[in-house]
Amino acid sequence: MTDPAQVMVARGSTKPVSPPTLLSELSLSRSETPCWTCRRRRIICDKAIPTCKKCHQAGRQCLGYKKPLVWNKGVASRGKMMGKTFEEVKEDPKKQKSPPSNISVLSNDSNTTTKAIGSTSSSLQSSFSIQGALVDPIFQDVNHLTRFYLNYYAHKLSTEAVLIDFPGQNPYKDLMALIGTSPLLLKTILAVSARDFTNFKTYSDSLLAWSSLPSENNSSLQSPSKYHALSFKQSALTQLRNDLQQTPTLDHHVLFACISLFVFIEVLESGKDAWRVHLEGAKQLVQLREKTSQDNHSVIGNVAPNLNSFFFDSCITFDIMGNTLTRPYKISKPLPPTEEVFNSIRQSEKYTFWGCPADLLYLILVINWQYWSKMQPSQSKPISTSNTEPQLPLEIDDSSIISSIELFCPTVWAQKTSLFSPCPDTSQRVHIASAYKSAVLIYALRALRPHQIGNSFPIPELASQIIDDLATIPIDGPFLKCILWPTFIAGAESEVPERREAVKALFHIFWISFRSINAANAVAVLDQIWKRVDERKAAGAQGEDEQGNWYHYLANGGVDWLFV
């Protein structure tokens, strides 16, 4: 590093000189002509550089030694137009920039256009104003309301949908370049943007009555943005149905992107049941593509070739995590833990918002498959794996899965993945990976019920460790969006009131930042689990059995939850 005491002389010398030498040379520097201020005052200028000392002593602004620019009155400084001017053009007050009431949600599509109810000009612009007009040709044919929600998506939602918003490597931002070629993608982006905006506009920062979240049918929640969200969602679903009828021209990568966004919508609305329908549709889409051997050219590849399969990988991740808190595969079996699936998980690890290490996410998939196999006696053959990471034996049993979880090292994973991060966050990565490791271990013990080794693991201590790890995550950091699933697992195992309050505090922090209704529903479900545990204790129930296992309570509860 260069010594601050050594500076370079600006007049062509390349040798470092000390400050006294530099000051002495600067004091001898003079301009060849007087400054313009002294010329106008008709006094002798000392020609000092960079400004005249006489001007400084007189308290005047030194205009320097170059001829200053002079602004003439009128439109010309000479000729017939010299000195002439025109009246200022005023904007017609009738032409307002704010969207009028009852504006058409999608004015360029008469078949699926729906009308938004109520005035939107004051409510939308007061919370999230558009900074300047969108001049890209993609946005020229859309109305003001559509531009507003696209701007909201580009500046807020797309940055929250990834772990870290790498410049030029955000797949959700890349989708913006495709809305001109895909009406389905445009409508889906508008739907998820309007839903997120509605949640922030409707619900406050204060700690909610989690178990009795206000219904959207309440008159106090009838905001214009809610109607926008419903209208856009209905229009997107109609467009999806129409596109699926045109199989030869389908762009599967765009469809997977829309399915991921539909899952986001369901999570923002409740995180209950409906998300699974979209993922089952994705599975059928994969089967259709394999049956027809169709791998059509995707426009996503033209925009971001390295992210061509990102949204397909995201659907896989949603399916894996969604199957942890659901009924035992009432619609279809889980994805098999193959090498192809593991590669998809590993590929999306850098961008996904989950924060769950790929090794642990793959082990969750193995647990899902193993649990499903136990529920299907006729198909209970042990799965076989090739050379995938982490290494699992060919004859997988419960003990092997538990051992693989224990072998995972959060520190090593954090050091490897932090190389991609633009800022030092190794410590945060260690804590989030440790929390997921403990949560996955608890999930394995509860789902697989390995009685021969289950008693050797102090589950309450694991739950406490999860809470302690997550409590270190900064509120304004990128890893806050990763805490929902491990927080729920820790809460389900918390029997001490202090730990339960700590879990609620984590959910409240998450709520303030993201306003996702599934976070409120997660606390409501935990209240039911805690109430059930307390009632069993009061009744004198001893030991662990299936009735006292919260995992099987959720599996038989008739609801499929997605807590992300």
Side-chain angles (χ1 to χ4, degrees):
M1 183 176 180
T2 306
D3 189 349
Q6 293 182 336
V7 294
M8 304 300 294
V9 178
R11 295 183 300 143
S13 174
T14 59
K15 297 181 180 181
V17 295
S18 60
T21 305
L22 177 61
L23 293 176
S24 61
E25 290 197 9
L26 289 178
S27 63
L28 297 177
S29 301
R30 292 290 184 270
S31 173
E32 297 180 357
T33 58
C35 72
W36 284 90
T37 303
C38 292
R39 286 187 183 186
R40 292 178 179 179
R41 295 177 63 196
R42 297 180 182 275
I43 62 174
I44 299 176
C45 179
D46 61 8
K47 302 179 182 179
I49 294 179
T51 58
C52 171
K53 291 184 178 180
K54 285 192 176 183
C55 294
H56 178 71
Q57 293 173 355
R60 295 175 177 271
Q61 180 184 5
C62 182
L63 297 177
Y65 300 98
K66 293 184 179 180
K67 186 175 182 179
L69 295 175
V70 178
W71 296 100
N72 294 322
K73 294 182 180 181
V75 297
S77 60
R78 65 185 68 182
K80 294 181 179 181
M81 301 298 294
M82 182 177 63
K84 293 185 178 181
T85 184
F86 298 95
E87 294 182 1
E88 182 180 358
V89 178
K90 297 181 179 180
E91 184 178 1
D92 187 354
K94 296 181 180 180
K95 297 181 179 180
Q96 299 178 357
K97 293 183 179 180
S98 59
S101 59
N102 299 331
I103 189 170
S104 173
V105 176
L106 290 171
S107 59
N108 59 339
D109 188 349
S110 58
N111 295 328
T112 58
T113 297
T114 56
K115 299 293 182 178
I117 300 176
S119 175
T120 59
S121 57
S122 59
S123 59
L124 296 182
Q125 291 185 346
S126 61
S127 300
F128 196 87
S129 59
I130 298 180
Q131 302 297 328
L134 299 172
V135 296
D136 193 286
I138 296 175
F139 307 108
Q140 288 182 354
D141 297 329
V142 298
N143 56 43
H144 183 77
L145 183 66
T146 302
R147 291 189 182 190
F148 169 81
Y149 284 118
L150 289 177
N151 184 73
Y152 184 87
Y153 172 87
H155 290 85
K156 182 181 183 295
L157 276 183
S158 63
T159 60
E160 293 180 354
V162 293
L163 183 60
I164 299 177
D165 186 18
F166 291 98
Q169 299 187 32
N170 186 330
Y172 290 93
K173 284 187 177 179
D174 291 339
L175 292 178
M176 294 290 292
L178 307 177
I179 61 176
T181 60
S182 174
L184 172 62
L185 183 59
L186 170 62
K187 296 172 184 179
T188 309
I189 288 177
L190 294 176
V192 68
S193 181
R195 168 49 58 182
D196 186 77
F197 180 83
T198 299
N199 287 2
F200 273 89
K201 188 172 181 59
T202 302
Y203 304 107
S204 64
D205 286 345
S206 60
L207 185 62
L208 300 175
W210 300 99
S211 58
S212 57
L213 196 69
S215 172
E216 289 198 353
N217 295 325
N218 191 315
S219 59
S220 62
L221 305 184
Q222 303 300 317
S223 63
S225 60
K226 177 192 172 183
Y227 290 99
H228 300 158
L230 295 176
S231 299
F232 284 135
K233 182 179 179 181
Q234 179 62 35
S235 181
L237 290 173
T238 303
Q239 185 70 49
L240 175 61
R241 181 184 60 189
N242 296 335
D243 287 358
L244 290 176
Q245 296 174 355
Q246 302 175 2
T247 304
T249 59
L250 280 179
D251 189 332
H252 292 92
H253 295 290
V254 172
L255 280 176
F256 285 126
C258 293
I259 290 173
S260 297
L261 294 177
F262 274 120
V263 174
F264 271 117
I265 295 174
E266 304 302 339
V267 166
L268 291 171
E269 290 182 349
S270 68
K272 178 180 178 181
D273 290 334
W275 59 269
R276 177 179 282 280
V277 177
H278 299 299
L279 293 180
E280 292 301 326
K283 291 181 181 180
Q284 295 179 16
L285 185 63
V286 172
Q287 295 175 0
L288 175 64
R289 184 171 62 175
E290 293 176 350
K291 182 183 299 185
T292 58
S293 300
Q294 182 180 2
D295 190 15
N296 60 344
H297 181 69
S298 173
V299 291
I300 287 184
N302 297 332
V303 178
N306 59 322
L307 302 177
N308 207 355
S309 63
F310 172 81
F311 296 102
F312 173 75
D313 301 337
S314 296
C315 290
I316 292 177
T317 305
F318 273 123
D319 186 73
I320 294 173
M321 297 301 294
N323 286 326
T324 59
L325 303 174
T326 60
R327 287 165 283 182
Y329 308 103
K330 62 175 182 177
I331 300 179
S332 65
K333 66 180 181 180
L335 295 171
T338 62
E339 182 177 5
E340 180 182 2
V341 174
F342 178 78
N343 291 335
S344 296
I345 296 171
R346 176 71 76 188
Q347 184 175 350
S348 62
E349 183 181 44
K350 177 181 177 181
Y351 304 101
T352 182
F353 69 92
W354 294 89
C356 180
D359 293 349
L360 294 178
L361 192 59
Y362 180 78
L363 288 172
I364 294 176
L365 175 61
V366 174
I367 298 170
N368 294 344
W369 181 272
Q370 195 79 344
Y371 179 75
W372 178 82
S373 298
K374 290 183 178 181
M375 298 295 105
Q376 306 291 328
S378 61
Q379 303 181 29
S380 58
K381 297 179 181 180
I383 60 176
S384 60
T385 59
S386 56
N387 295 327
T388 59
E389 185 185 355
Q391 295 292 334
L392 295 174
L394 294 179
E395 299 293 332
I396 294 181
D397 55 20
D398 297 343
S399 300
S400 300
I401 296 175
I402 300 298
S403 299
S404 298
I405 299 173
E406 290 185 295
L407 289 175
F408 174 76
C409 181
T411 303
V412 173
W413 175 84
Q415 291 174 347
K416 289 181 179 179
T417 56
S418 61
L419 299 176
F420 302 109
S421 178
C423 56
D425 55 7
T426 304
S427 176
Q428 298 180 43
R429 291 177 181 269
V430 170
H431 285 295
I432 198 68
S434 298
Y436 267 99
K437 177 181 179 179
S438 300
V440 174
L441 183 56
I442 293 176
Y443 171 64
L445 295 173
R446 291 306 188 191
L448 302 178
R449 292 180 297 166
H451 299 293
Q452 68 276 17
I453 61 174
N455 296 329
S456 62
F457 288 91
I459 292 182
E461 285 75 6
L462 289 174
S464 298
Q465 185 61 45
I466 294 174
I467 298 174
D468 293 339
D469 283 323
L470 297 180
T472 64
I473 302 299
I475 296 177
D476 57 348
F479 292 94
L480 181 64
K481 67 189 72 173
C482 312
I483 72 171
L484 199 56
W485 189 82
T487 302
F488 180 85
I489 299 295
E493 297 290 347
S494 297
E495 299 183 0
V496 182
E498 292 77 9
R499 285 298 181 185
R500 293 179 179 179
E501 291 301 320
V503 169
K504 284 189 174 183
L506 288 173
F507 275 109
H508 180 53
I509 294 172
F510 183 90
W511 169 263
I512 292 176
S513 298
F514 301 108
R515 291 295 200 285
S516 182
I517 304 300
N518 72 331
N521 287 332
V523 177
V525 173
L526 286 178
D527 284 335
Q528 297 174 4
I529 294 175
W530 295 336
K531 180 180 179 181
R532 186 168 174 270
V533 170
D534 294 341
E535 289 176 349
R536 285 176 54 82
K537 283 186 177 181
Q542 299 292 333
E544 288 283 351
D545 56 13
E546 185 168 336
Q547 295 298 323
N549 189 332
W550 59 265
Y551 175 78
H552 294 282
Y553 167 72
L554 291 179
N556 298 323
V559 178
D560 295 335
W561 293 107
L562 181 60
F563 293 143
V564 297

